[in-house]
Amino acid sequence: MNSYLAAMRNYALFEGRAARSEFWCFFLFATLFSMGASIVDALVLTPRFLGVGALCWLVNLVHWLPSIAVGVRRLHDIGRTGWWMLVGLTIIGHLLLFVFYCLRGTPGDNRFGGAIAEMDGSRKKPRGGRRWDDSLSWVSAPPKRY
């Protein structure tokens, strides 16, 4: 659940890296919430649009941007740019992205950020990147270029 919450806290952060556990836990909980919303939609008989209930649309809309962001950060972890997400517009691209998401991350630092450390509970920043509210603290220490 902590990985899901970390992904939701960094819902629009496209910099840095995301571990496999953060990525897959996010999608597990997002899917469970969507399934729960579908069940509630069926029980309450909410208005449907394109065969999907209103609550399910709302849950999927809430998870849309965070899912793109965590996917981009996951691709960064294996050393690929976020532009690889565009291959998901094809059927074969979905299979390729699935393989990428299952790969082990780059050990140590890569061009997208530092190594992903174990969660210690005291870290306020996302793994390997900057938060959007860090203001200009990164100006004094620019990232390493490889």
Side-chain angles (χ1 to χ4, degrees):
M1 186 67 164
N2 289 336
S3 297
Y4 170 78
L5 294 175
M8 290 302 285
R9 267 188 246 110
N10 300 315
Y11 71 96
L13 181 70
F14 294 91
E15 296 175 347
R17 299 165 66 173
R20 281 187 291 187
S21 62
E22 180 180 348
F23 177 82
W24 289 112
C25 286
F26 171 79
F27 274 99
L28 171 70
F29 282 104
T31 302
L32 291 175
F33 288 141
S34 182
M35 290 170 61
S38 294
I39 292 170
V40 170
D41 279 336
L43 294 175
V44 179
L45 299 174
T46 59
R48 295 192 168 279
F49 179 70
L50 297 176
V52 180
L55 185 60
C56 192
W57 273 106
L58 180 65
V59 168
N60 290 333
L61 183 65
V62 165
H63 287 104
W64 178 68
L65 187 60
S67 68
I68 295 172
V70 77
V72 167
R73 290 194 314 269
R74 179 70 199 123
L75 288 171
H76 286 176
D77 190 39
I78 64 167
R80 302 200 181 272
T81 66
W83 290 106
W84 276 94
M85 295 229 10
L86 292 177
V87 302
L89 297 174
T90 66
I91 300 293
I92 296 173
H94 280 295
L95 297 172
L96 182 63
L97 284 176
F98 179 77
V99 169
F100 284 167
Y101 294 149
C102 291
L103 291 176
R104 183 180 306 269
T106 307
D109 297 349
N110 69 11
R111 64 184 173 141
F112 298 106
I116 296 178
E118 294 294 321
M119 282 290 241
D120 60 1
S122 64
R123 184 175 43 244
K124 301 290 188 251
K125 293 183 181 180
R127 292 175 263 205
R130 298 187 309 264
R131 280 180 55 132
W132 61 273
D133 62 349
D134 275 348
S135 67
L136 296 177
S137 64
W138 57 273
V139 174
S140 61
K144 296 178 187 176
R145 300 285 182 212
Y146 294 100

